[in-house]
Amino acid sequence: SKAKGGRMPDVWVAGMHPSLLERVAKRGYGLMLTPAWKPIESIAPARETLDELCATHGRDPATMPLGLMRFIM
């Protein structure tokens, strides 16, 4: 069903697997990077891969929604 106003809600997916990054770049989904307990630097390779895949699919990576999930204790 459509959201109020007749527009479909944005689709966000979470993860960092290469096949997920491919799907995000191809479909234009929002991405929630999920490095869990890994150092924050672990997201750099995923971001670089996403940028390359966006270019392959004709998308500007600067316009792609991007989030980061972190665990805080």
Side-chain angles (χ1 to χ4, degrees):
S1 71
K2 292 188 178 181
K4 191 172 183 178
R7 184 178 169 275
M8 292 296 294
D10 293 336
V11 174
W12 281 72
V13 294
M16 292 175 47
H17 192 274
S19 64
L20 177 72
L21 299 177
E22 172 73 29
R23 183 171 294 152
V24 164
K26 184 177 182 180
R27 306 260 184 192
Y29 296 153
L31 175 63
M32 178 74 65
L33 292 171
T34 56
W37 299 107
K38 296 176 188 169
I40 195 70
E41 295 82 14
S42 69
I43 68 168
R47 182 58 201 246
E48 291 167 5
T49 299
L50 179 63
D51 289 353
E52 292 168 6
L53 291 168
C54 284
T56 298
H57 291 287
R59 294 189 186 279
D60 179 0
T63 64
M64 298 290 289
L66 183 66
L68 176 64
M69 182 179 77
R70 296 295 291 167
F71 298 121
I72 300 174
M73 295 183 67

Short mmCIF file of all heavy atoms in Angstrom, two decimals:
data_model
loop_
_atom_site.label_atom_id
_atom_site.label_comp_id
_atom_site.label_asym_id
_atom_site.label_seq_id
_atom_site.Cartn_x
_atom_site.Cartn_y
_atom_site.Cartn_z
N SER A 1 0.84 -1.19 0.00
CA SER A 1 0.00 0.00 0.00
C SER A 1 0.88 1.24 0.00
O SER A 1 2.01 1.21 0.44
CB SER A 1 -0.93 -0.02 1.20
OG SER A 1 -0.23 0.20 2.38
N LYS A 2 0.32 2.30 -0.48
CA LYS A 2 1.07 3.56 -0.56
C LYS A 2 0.95 4.35 0.73
O LYS A 2 -0.05 4.26 1.44
CB LYS A 2 0.59 4.39 -1.73
CG LYS A 2 0.92 3.75 -3.07
CD LYS A 2 0.62 4.66 -4.20
CE LYS A 2 1.03 3.98 -5.49
NZ LYS A 2 0.81 4.79 -6.65
N ALA A 3 1.96 5.12 1.01
CA ALA A 3 1.96 5.98 2.18
C ALA A 3 1.00 7.15 1.96
O ALA A 3 0.55 7.39 0.84
CB ALA A 3 3.36 6.49 2.45
N LYS A 4 0.71 7.85 3.01
CA LYS A 4 -0.15 9.03 2.93
C LYS A 4 0.40 9.98 1.87
O LYS A 4 1.58 10.23 1.81
CB LYS A 4 -0.20 9.71 4.30
CG LYS A 4 -1.24 10.77 4.39
CD LYS A 4 -1.34 11.25 5.81
CE LYS A 4 -2.45 12.26 5.93
NZ LYS A 4 -2.62 12.72 7.29
N GLY A 5 -0.44 10.47 1.04
CA GLY A 5 -0.02 11.35 -0.03
C GLY A 5 0.20 10.62 -1.36
O GLY A 5 0.58 11.21 -2.34
N GLY A 6 -0.01 9.29 -1.36
CA GLY A 6 0.09 8.51 -2.59
C GLY A 6 1.49 8.13 -3.01
O GLY A 6 1.69 7.56 -4.07
N ARG A 7 2.49 8.42 -2.20
CA ARG A 7 3.87 8.11 -2.54
C ARG A 7 4.32 6.87 -1.78
O ARG A 7 4.05 6.72 -0.61
CB ARG A 7 4.75 9.29 -2.16
CG ARG A 7 6.20 9.16 -2.53
CD ARG A 7 6.95 10.45 -2.12
NE ARG A 7 8.36 10.26 -2.22
CZ ARG A 7 9.14 9.73 -1.28
NH1 ARG A 7 8.63 9.33 -0.15
NH2 ARG A 7 10.44 9.60 -1.45
N MET A 8 5.04 6.00 -2.47
CA MET A 8 5.59 4.82 -1.80
C MET A 8 6.71 5.27 -0.85
O MET A 8 7.48 6.17 -1.19
CB MET A 8 6.16 3.84 -2.82
CG MET A 8 5.11 3.18 -3.69
SD MET A 8 3.98 2.14 -2.75
CE MET A 8 5.07 0.86 -2.19
N PRO A 9 6.82 4.66 0.31
CA PRO A 9 7.90 5.03 1.23
C PRO A 9 9.25 4.58 0.67
O PRO A 9 9.34 3.66 -0.14
CB PRO A 9 7.56 4.26 2.51
CG PRO A 9 6.65 3.17 2.09
CD PRO A 9 5.94 3.63 0.85
N ASP A 10 10.31 5.27 1.09
CA ASP A 10 11.66 4.91 0.68
C ASP A 10 12.01 3.52 1.22
O ASP A 10 11.57 3.15 2.30
CB ASP A 10 12.68 5.91 1.19
CG ASP A 10 12.52 7.28 0.56
OD1 ASP A 10 11.97 7.36 -0.56
OD2 ASP A 10 12.95 8.27 1.18
N VAL A 11 12.81 2.80 0.49
CA VAL A 11 13.28 1.48 0.92
C VAL A 11 14.70 1.64 1.45
O VAL A 11 15.57 2.21 0.77
CB VAL A 11 13.27 0.47 -0.25
CG1 VAL A 11 13.91 -0.84 0.18
CG2 VAL A 11 11.85 0.25 -0.74
N TRP A 12 14.94 1.17 2.66
CA TRP A 12 16.27 1.15 3.26
C TRP A 12 16.61 -0.30 3.55
O TRP A 12 15.76 -1.07 3.98
CB TRP A 12 16.29 1.94 4.56
CG TRP A 12 16.37 3.42 4.36
CD1 TRP A 12 15.38 4.23 3.90
CD2 TRP A 12 17.50 4.24 4.60
NE1 TRP A 12 15.82 5.52 3.83
CE2 TRP A 12 17.13 5.56 4.27
CE3 TRP A 12 18.79 4.00 5.05
CZ2 TRP A 12 18.01 6.63 4.39
CZ3 TRP A 12 19.66 5.06 5.17
CH2 TRP A 12 19.27 6.36 4.84
N VAL A 13 17.87 -0.66 3.32
CA VAL A 13 18.35 -2.00 3.65
C VAL A 13 19.60 -1.84 4.51
O VAL A 13 20.29 -0.82 4.45
CB VAL A 13 18.62 -2.83 2.38
CG1 VAL A 13 17.34 -3.12 1.64
CG2 VAL A 13 19.61 -2.15 1.47
N ALA A 14 19.88 -2.87 5.30
CA ALA A 14 21.02 -2.81 6.21
C ALA A 14 21.98 -3.94 5.91
O ALA A 14 21.57 -5.07 5.66
CB ALA A 14 20.54 -2.89 7.66
N GLY A 15 23.27 -3.64 5.96
CA GLY A 15 24.29 -4.65 5.77
C GLY A 15 25.50 -4.06 5.07
O GLY A 15 25.56 -2.86 4.80
N MET A 16 26.47 -4.94 4.78
CA MET A 16 27.69 -4.50 4.09
C MET A 16 28.17 -5.55 3.09
O MET A 16 29.26 -5.43 2.54
CB MET A 16 28.79 -4.20 5.11
CG MET A 16 28.48 -2.98 5.96
SD MET A 16 29.64 -2.59 7.29
CE MET A 16 31.23 -2.68 6.54
N HIS A 17 27.38 -6.57 2.84
CA HIS A 17 27.78 -7.63 1.92
C HIS A 17 27.83 -7.09 0.49
O HIS A 17 26.97 -6.28 0.10
CB HIS A 17 26.79 -8.79 2.01
CG HIS A 17 27.27 -10.02 1.33
ND1 HIS A 17 27.08 -10.24 -0.02
CD2 HIS A 17 27.94 -11.09 1.81
CE1 HIS A 17 27.62 -11.40 -0.35
NE2 HIS A 17 28.15 -11.94 0.74
N PRO A 18 28.82 -7.51 -0.30
CA PRO A 18 28.93 -6.99 -1.68
C PRO A 18 27.67 -7.16 -2.52
O PRO A 18 27.33 -6.26 -3.31
CB PRO A 18 30.09 -7.81 -2.26
CG PRO A 18 30.93 -8.15 -1.07
CD PRO A 18 29.96 -8.36 0.06
N SER A 19 26.95 -8.26 -2.37
CA SER A 19 25.73 -8.43 -3.17
C SER A 19 24.65 -7.43 -2.75
O SER A 19 23.86 -6.98 -3.58
CB SER A 19 25.20 -9.86 -3.05
OG SER A 19 24.79 -10.15 -1.73
N LEU A 20 24.63 -7.05 -1.48
CA LEU A 20 23.68 -6.04 -1.01
C LEU A 20 24.06 -4.67 -1.58
O LEU A 20 23.19 -3.91 -2.02
CB LEU A 20 23.65 -6.00 0.52
CG LEU A 20 22.75 -4.92 1.09
CD1 LEU A 20 21.28 -5.28 0.88
CD2 LEU A 20 23.05 -4.70 2.55
N LEU A 21 25.34 -4.36 -1.57
CA LEU A 21 25.80 -3.08 -2.12
C LEU A 21 25.44 -2.96 -3.60
O LEU A 21 25.03 -1.89 -4.07
CB LEU A 21 27.30 -2.91 -1.92
CG LEU A 21 27.78 -2.91 -0.47
CD1 LEU A 21 29.30 -2.82 -0.42
CD2 LEU A 21 27.15 -1.79 0.34
N GLU A 22 25.55 -4.07 -4.32
CA GLU A 22 25.16 -4.09 -5.74
C GLU A 22 23.68 -3.77 -5.89
O GLU A 22 23.28 -2.96 -6.73
CB GLU A 22 25.47 -5.47 -6.34
CG GLU A 22 24.96 -5.67 -7.74
CD GLU A 22 25.72 -4.91 -8.81
OE1 GLU A 22 26.92 -4.66 -8.62
OE2 GLU A 22 25.09 -4.57 -9.84
N ARG A 23 22.85 -4.39 -5.07
CA ARG A 23 21.40 -4.16 -5.14
C ARG A 23 21.06 -2.70 -4.79
O ARG A 23 20.21 -2.08 -5.43
CB ARG A 23 20.68 -5.11 -4.18
CG ARG A 23 19.17 -4.98 -4.26
CD ARG A 23 18.48 -6.05 -3.48
NE ARG A 23 18.75 -7.33 -4.13
CZ ARG A 23 18.78 -8.48 -3.50
NH1 ARG A 23 18.55 -8.55 -2.22
NH2 ARG A 23 19.03 -9.60 -4.15
N VAL A 24 21.72 -2.16 -3.79
CA VAL A 24 21.48 -0.78 -3.38
C VAL A 24 21.81 0.18 -4.53
O VAL A 24 21.03 1.08 -4.85
CB VAL A 24 22.33 -0.44 -2.12
CG1 VAL A 24 22.41 1.06 -1.89
CG2 VAL A 24 21.74 -1.13 -0.89
N ALA A 25 22.98 -0.02 -5.15
CA ALA A 25 23.39 0.86 -6.24
C ALA A 25 22.46 0.73 -7.44
O ALA A 25 22.12 1.72 -8.09
CB ALA A 25 24.83 0.53 -6.65
N LYS A 26 22.04 -0.47 -7.73
CA LYS A 26 21.18 -0.71 -8.90
C LYS A 26 19.78 -0.13 -8.69
O LYS A 26 19.22 0.48 -9.60
CB LYS A 26 21.09 -2.21 -9.15
CG LYS A 26 20.31 -2.58 -10.39
CD LYS A 26 20.34 -4.08 -10.61
CE LYS A 26 19.59 -4.46 -11.87
NZ LYS A 26 19.62 -5.91 -12.10
N ARG A 27 19.23 -0.31 -7.51
CA ARG A 27 17.84 0.08 -7.26
C ARG A 27 17.68 1.47 -6.63
O ARG A 27 16.58 1.99 -6.57
CB ARG A 27 17.18 -0.93 -6.33
CG ARG A 27 17.28 -2.35 -6.83
CD ARG A 27 16.03 -2.74 -7.48
NE ARG A 27 16.13 -4.16 -7.86
CZ ARG A 27 15.29 -4.73 -8.63
NH1 ARG A 27 14.27 -4.07 -9.10
NH2 ARG A 27 15.43 -6.00 -8.95
N GLY A 28 18.77 2.03 -6.09
CA GLY A 28 18.68 3.34 -5.47
C GLY A 28 18.13 3.32 -4.06
O GLY A 28 17.61 4.32 -3.57
N TYR A 29 18.25 2.18 -3.40
CA TYR A 29 17.77 2.06 -2.01
C TYR A 29 18.67 2.88 -1.07
O TYR A 29 19.84 3.11 -1.36
CB TYR A 29 17.80 0.61 -1.54
CG TYR A 29 16.89 -0.34 -2.27
CD1 TYR A 29 17.21 -1.69 -2.34
CD2 TYR A 29 15.72 0.08 -2.87
CE1 TYR A 29 16.38 -2.58 -2.99
CE2 TYR A 29 14.89 -0.81 -3.53
CZ TYR A 29 15.22 -2.15 -3.58
OH TYR A 29 14.41 -3.03 -4.23
N GLY A 30 18.12 3.23 0.07
CA GLY A 30 18.93 3.80 1.14
C GLY A 30 19.72 2.68 1.79
O GLY A 30 19.23 1.55 1.89
N LEU A 31 20.93 2.97 2.23
CA LEU A 31 21.79 1.95 2.82
C LEU A 31 22.13 2.29 4.26
O LEU A 31 22.57 3.41 4.55
CB LEU A 31 23.08 1.80 2.01
CG LEU A 31 24.11 0.83 2.58
CD1 LEU A 31 23.58 -0.60 2.62
CD2 LEU A 31 25.40 0.91 1.78
N MET A 32 21.93 1.34 5.14
CA MET A 32 22.36 1.46 6.53
C MET A 32 23.55 0.53 6.69
O MET A 32 23.39 -0.70 6.70
CB MET A 32 21.22 1.05 7.48
CG MET A 32 21.59 1.11 8.94
SD MET A 32 21.72 2.77 9.61
CE MET A 32 20.03 3.33 9.48
N LEU A 33 24.75 1.10 6.74
CA LEU A 33 25.95 0.28 6.95
C LEU A 33 25.94 -0.25 8.37
O LEU A 33 25.60 0.47 9.32
CB LEU A 33 27.21 1.11 6.70
CG LEU A 33 27.43 1.54 5.25
CD1 LEU A 33 28.59 2.52 5.16
CD2 LEU A 33 27.68 0.34 4.36
N THR A 34 26.32 -1.50 8.53
CA THR A 34 26.23 -2.16 9.84
C THR A 34 27.54 -2.85 10.21
O THR A 34 27.65 -4.06 10.14
CB THR A 34 25.09 -3.20 9.83
OG1 THR A 34 25.33 -4.12 8.76
CG2 THR A 34 23.73 -2.55 9.65
N PRO A 35 28.54 -2.07 10.63
CA PRO A 35 29.81 -2.69 10.97
C PRO A 35 29.83 -3.39 12.33
O PRO A 35 30.83 -3.99 12.69
CB PRO A 35 30.79 -1.51 10.96
CG PRO A 35 29.94 -0.33 11.30
CD PRO A 35 28.60 -0.62 10.69
N ALA A 36 28.72 -3.33 13.05
CA ALA A 36 28.60 -3.97 14.37
C ALA A 36 29.73 -3.51 15.28
O ALA A 36 29.86 -2.32 15.51
CB ALA A 36 28.53 -5.48 14.22
N TRP A 37 30.54 -4.42 15.76
CA TRP A 37 31.60 -4.09 16.72
C TRP A 37 32.93 -3.79 16.06
O TRP A 37 33.92 -3.54 16.73
CB TRP A 37 31.77 -5.22 17.73
CG TRP A 37 30.54 -5.47 18.53
CD1 TRP A 37 29.70 -6.54 18.40
CD2 TRP A 37 29.97 -4.64 19.54
NE1 TRP A 37 28.65 -6.42 19.27
CE2 TRP A 37 28.79 -5.27 19.99
CE3 TRP A 37 30.33 -3.43 20.11
CZ2 TRP A 37 27.98 -4.73 20.98
CZ3 TRP A 37 29.52 -2.89 21.10
CH2 TRP A 37 28.37 -3.53 21.52
N LYS A 38 32.97 -3.82 14.74
CA LYS A 38 34.23 -3.55 14.04
C LYS A 38 34.57 -2.06 14.16
O LYS A 38 33.68 -1.23 14.36
CB LYS A 38 34.11 -3.92 12.57
CG LYS A 38 33.89 -5.40 12.34
CD LYS A 38 33.69 -5.67 10.87
CE LYS A 38 33.27 -7.10 10.64
NZ LYS A 38 32.82 -7.33 9.28
N PRO A 39 35.84 -1.71 14.00
CA PRO A 39 36.21 -0.29 14.03
C PRO A 39 35.50 0.49 12.93
O PRO A 39 35.17 -0.06 11.88
CB PRO A 39 37.73 -0.29 13.80
CG PRO A 39 38.17 -1.69 13.98
CD PRO A 39 36.98 -2.58 13.78
N ILE A 40 35.31 1.75 13.17
CA ILE A 40 34.60 2.61 12.20
C ILE A 40 35.30 2.61 10.84
O ILE A 40 34.67 2.76 9.80
CB ILE A 40 34.43 4.05 12.76
CG1 ILE A 40 33.39 4.83 11.95
CG2 ILE A 40 35.74 4.77 12.82
CD1 ILE A 40 32.00 4.37 12.12
N GLU A 41 36.61 2.38 10.84
CA GLU A 41 37.36 2.35 9.58
C GLU A 41 36.92 1.20 8.67
O GLU A 41 37.20 1.20 7.48
CB GLU A 41 38.87 2.23 9.86
CG GLU A 41 39.47 3.42 10.55
CD GLU A 41 39.25 3.42 12.07
OE1 GLU A 41 38.88 2.38 12.64
OE2 GLU A 41 39.45 4.50 12.67
N SER A 42 36.23 0.23 9.22
CA SER A 42 35.80 -0.92 8.43
C SER A 42 34.74 -0.57 7.39
O SER A 42 34.48 -1.35 6.48
CB SER A 42 35.28 -2.04 9.33
OG SER A 42 34.06 -1.67 9.95
N ILE A 43 34.14 0.61 7.51
CA ILE A 43 33.12 0.98 6.53
C ILE A 43 33.72 1.55 5.25
O ILE A 43 33.06 1.59 4.22
CB ILE A 43 32.06 1.94 7.09
CG1 ILE A 43 32.67 3.31 7.40
CG2 ILE A 43 31.36 1.34 8.28
CD1 ILE A 43 31.65 4.37 7.67
N ALA A 44 34.99 2.00 5.30
CA ALA A 44 35.61 2.64 4.12
C ALA A 44 35.57 1.74 2.89
O ALA A 44 35.18 2.21 1.81
CB ALA A 44 37.03 3.09 4.45
N PRO A 45 35.97 0.46 2.98
CA PRO A 45 35.90 -0.37 1.77
C PRO A 45 34.47 -0.52 1.22
O PRO A 45 34.27 -0.52 0.01
CB PRO A 45 36.44 -1.73 2.24
CG PRO A 45 37.27 -1.43 3.44
CD PRO A 45 36.59 -0.26 4.09
N ALA A 46 33.49 -0.63 2.11
CA ALA A 46 32.10 -0.75 1.66
C ALA A 46 31.67 0.53 0.95
O ALA A 46 31.00 0.49 -0.09
CB ALA A 46 31.18 -1.06 2.83
N ARG A 47 32.06 1.67 1.50
CA ARG A 47 31.70 2.96 0.88
C ARG A 47 32.37 3.11 -0.49
O ARG A 47 31.75 3.57 -1.45
CB ARG A 47 32.08 4.11 1.80
CG ARG A 47 31.71 5.47 1.25
CD ARG A 47 30.20 5.52 0.98
NE ARG A 47 29.86 6.55 0.05
CZ ARG A 47 29.14 7.63 0.34
NH1 ARG A 47 28.69 7.79 1.56
NH2 ARG A 47 28.86 8.51 -0.56
N GLU A 48 33.63 2.71 -0.59
CA GLU A 48 34.34 2.78 -1.87
C GLU A 48 33.67 1.88 -2.91
O GLU A 48 33.48 2.28 -4.06
CB GLU A 48 35.80 2.40 -1.68
CG GLU A 48 36.59 3.43 -0.89
CD GLU A 48 37.95 2.92 -0.44
OE1 GLU A 48 38.34 1.79 -0.81
OE2 GLU A 48 38.62 3.67 0.30
N THR A 49 33.30 0.69 -2.48
CA THR A 49 32.61 -0.25 -3.39
C THR A 49 31.27 0.33 -3.83
O THR A 49 30.92 0.27 -5.01
CB THR A 49 32.41 -1.61 -2.71
OG1 THR A 49 33.69 -2.15 -2.39
CG2 THR A 49 31.65 -2.57 -3.60
N LEU A 50 30.53 0.89 -2.89
CA LEU A 50 29.23 1.49 -3.23
C LEU A 50 29.41 2.62 -4.23
O LEU A 50 28.65 2.72 -5.20
CB LEU A 50 28.53 2.00 -1.97
CG LEU A 50 27.17 2.65 -2.20
CD1 LEU A 50 26.18 1.66 -2.79
CD2 LEU A 50 26.64 3.24 -0.91
N ASP A 51 30.41 3.48 -4.03
CA ASP A 51 30.66 4.58 -4.97
C ASP A 51 30.93 4.05 -6.37
O ASP A 51 30.40 4.57 -7.35
CB ASP A 51 31.83 5.44 -4.49
CG ASP A 51 31.49 6.27 -3.26
OD1 ASP A 51 30.32 6.29 -2.84
OD2 ASP A 51 32.43 6.89 -2.71
N GLU A 52 31.75 3.01 -6.47
CA GLU A 52 32.07 2.42 -7.78
C GLU A 52 30.82 1.82 -8.42
O GLU A 52 30.59 1.98 -9.63
CB GLU A 52 33.14 1.35 -7.62
CG GLU A 52 34.49 1.91 -7.22
CD GLU A 52 35.47 0.83 -6.79
OE1 GLU A 52 35.15 -0.38 -6.89
OE2 GLU A 52 36.57 1.20 -6.33
N LEU A 53 30.02 1.11 -7.62
CA LEU A 53 28.81 0.48 -8.16
C LEU A 53 27.79 1.53 -8.59
O LEU A 53 27.10 1.35 -9.60
CB LEU A 53 28.21 -0.47 -7.13
CG LEU A 53 29.02 -1.73 -6.86
CD1 LEU A 53 28.50 -2.44 -5.62
CD2 LEU A 53 28.99 -2.64 -8.07
N CYS A 54 27.68 2.61 -7.84
CA CYS A 54 26.77 3.69 -8.23
C CYS A 54 27.16 4.24 -9.59
O CYS A 54 26.30 4.46 -10.46
CB CYS A 54 26.77 4.79 -7.19
SG CYS A 54 25.85 4.41 -5.70
N ALA A 55 28.45 4.46 -9.79
CA ALA A 55 28.92 4.97 -11.08
C ALA A 55 28.59 3.98 -12.20
O ALA A 55 28.15 4.39 -13.28
CB ALA A 55 30.42 5.24 -11.02
N THR A 56 28.75 2.70 -11.93
CA THR A 56 28.44 1.66 -12.91
C THR A 56 26.97 1.71 -13.32
O THR A 56 26.63 1.50 -14.48
CB THR A 56 28.77 0.27 -12.35
OG1 THR A 56 30.16 0.21 -12.08
CG2 THR A 56 28.39 -0.84 -13.31
N HIS A 57 26.10 2.01 -12.36
CA HIS A 57 24.66 2.03 -12.63
C HIS A 57 24.13 3.44 -12.91
O HIS A 57 22.91 3.65 -12.93
CB HIS A 57 23.91 1.42 -11.43
CG HIS A 57 24.14 -0.06 -11.30
ND1 HIS A 57 23.59 -0.97 -12.16
CD2 HIS A 57 24.89 -0.76 -10.42
CE1 HIS A 57 23.98 -2.19 -11.82
NE2 HIS A 57 24.77 -2.09 -10.76
N GLY A 58 25.03 4.39 -13.15
CA GLY A 58 24.62 5.73 -13.54
C GLY A 58 24.02 6.54 -12.41
O GLY A 58 23.24 7.45 -12.67
N ARG A 59 24.38 6.24 -11.19
CA ARG A 59 23.87 7.01 -10.04
C ARG A 59 25.01 7.83 -9.42
O ARG A 59 26.14 7.39 -9.37
CB ARG A 59 23.31 6.08 -8.97
CG ARG A 59 22.09 5.33 -9.43
CD ARG A 59 21.45 4.59 -8.25
NE ARG A 59 20.37 3.76 -8.72
CZ ARG A 59 19.14 4.20 -8.99
NH1 ARG A 59 18.84 5.46 -8.82
NH2 ARG A 59 18.21 3.36 -9.42
N ASP A 60 24.66 9.00 -8.94
CA ASP A 60 25.63 9.84 -8.25
C ASP A 60 25.68 9.40 -6.79
O ASP A 60 24.69 9.53 -6.07
CB ASP A 60 25.20 11.30 -8.34
CG ASP A 60 26.12 12.25 -7.62
OD1 ASP A 60 27.13 11.79 -7.01
OD2 ASP A 60 25.85 13.46 -7.64
N PRO A 61 26.81 8.86 -6.32
CA PRO A 61 26.86 8.37 -4.94
C PRO A 61 26.60 9.47 -3.90
O PRO A 61 26.14 9.17 -2.80
CB PRO A 61 28.27 7.79 -4.80
CG PRO A 61 29.05 8.26 -5.96
CD PRO A 61 28.07 8.66 -7.02
N ALA A 62 26.85 10.71 -4.27
CA ALA A 62 26.61 11.81 -3.33
C ALA A 62 25.13 12.00 -3.04
O ALA A 62 24.76 12.62 -2.04
CB ALA A 62 27.22 13.10 -3.87
N THR A 63 24.26 11.48 -3.91
CA THR A 63 22.82 11.65 -3.71
C THR A 63 22.17 10.42 -3.07
O THR A 63 20.97 10.44 -2.81
CB THR A 63 22.11 11.94 -5.05
OG1 THR A 63 22.24 10.79 -5.90
CG2 THR A 63 22.69 13.16 -5.73
N MET A 64 22.97 9.38 -2.83
CA MET A 64 22.42 8.15 -2.25
C MET A 64 22.29 8.29 -0.74
O MET A 64 23.24 8.70 -0.07
CB MET A 64 23.33 6.96 -2.57
CG MET A 64 23.48 6.66 -4.05
SD MET A 64 21.98 6.02 -4.79
CE MET A 64 21.94 4.40 -4.06
N PRO A 65 21.11 7.98 -0.18
CA PRO A 65 20.97 8.04 1.27
C PRO A 65 21.87 7.00 1.93
O PRO A 65 21.97 5.87 1.46
CB PRO A 65 19.50 7.72 1.52
CG PRO A 65 18.88 7.42 0.21
CD PRO A 65 19.91 7.54 -0.85
N LEU A 66 22.51 7.39 3.01
CA LEU A 66 23.45 6.51 3.69
C LEU A 66 23.34 6.72 5.19
O LEU A 66 23.36 7.85 5.68
CB LEU A 66 24.87 6.80 3.22
CG LEU A 66 25.97 5.93 3.78
CD1 LEU A 66 25.82 4.48 3.30
CD2 LEU A 66 27.33 6.48 3.38
N GLY A 67 23.21 5.63 5.91
CA GLY A 67 23.18 5.68 7.37
C GLY A 67 24.22 4.74 7.95
O GLY A 67 24.80 3.92 7.26
N LEU A 68 24.43 4.86 9.24
CA LEU A 68 25.40 4.01 9.93
C LEU A 68 24.81 3.56 11.25
O LEU A 68 24.34 4.38 12.04
CB LEU A 68 26.70 4.80 10.18
CG LEU A 68 27.78 4.11 10.96
CD1 LEU A 68 28.31 2.90 10.20
CD2 LEU A 68 28.91 5.08 11.28
N MET A 69 24.82 2.24 11.46
CA MET A 69 24.34 1.71 12.73
C MET A 69 25.54 1.36 13.60
O MET A 69 26.45 0.66 13.14
CB MET A 69 23.50 0.45 12.50
CG MET A 69 22.94 -0.10 13.80
SD MET A 69 21.92 -1.57 13.55
CE MET A 69 23.18 -2.80 13.30
N ARG A 70 25.57 1.86 14.81
CA ARG A 70 26.66 1.58 15.74
C ARG A 70 26.06 1.12 17.07
O ARG A 70 25.00 1.59 17.48
CB ARG A 70 27.51 2.82 16.00
CG ARG A 70 28.24 3.34 14.80
CD ARG A 70 29.27 2.40 14.27
NE ARG A 70 30.39 2.29 15.18
CZ ARG A 70 31.32 1.36 15.11
NH1 ARG A 70 31.26 0.44 14.16
NH2 ARG A 70 32.30 1.30 15.95
N PHE A 71 26.75 0.21 17.71
CA PHE A 71 26.36 -0.23 19.04
C PHE A 71 27.08 0.63 20.07
O PHE A 71 28.29 0.83 19.97
CB PHE A 71 26.72 -1.70 19.26
CG PHE A 71 26.02 -2.63 18.32
CD1 PHE A 71 26.74 -3.46 17.48
CD2 PHE A 71 24.64 -2.69 18.28
CE1 PHE A 71 26.11 -4.34 16.61
CE2 PHE A 71 23.99 -3.57 17.42
CZ PHE A 71 24.72 -4.39 16.59
N ILE A 72 26.36 1.13 21.03
CA ILE A 72 26.96 1.96 22.09
C ILE A 72 26.58 1.33 23.43
O ILE A 72 25.43 1.03 23.69
CB ILE A 72 26.43 3.40 22.03
CG1 ILE A 72 26.78 4.01 20.68
CG2 ILE A 72 26.98 4.22 23.18
CD1 ILE A 72 26.19 5.37 20.44
N MET A 73 27.59 1.14 24.22
CA MET A 73 27.34 0.55 25.55
C MET A 73 27.70 1.53 26.63
O MET A 73 28.51 2.36 26.52
CB MET A 73 28.14 -0.72 25.72
CG MET A 73 27.68 -1.78 24.74
SD MET A 73 28.52 -3.35 24.96
CE MET A 73 27.92 -3.85 26.55
#
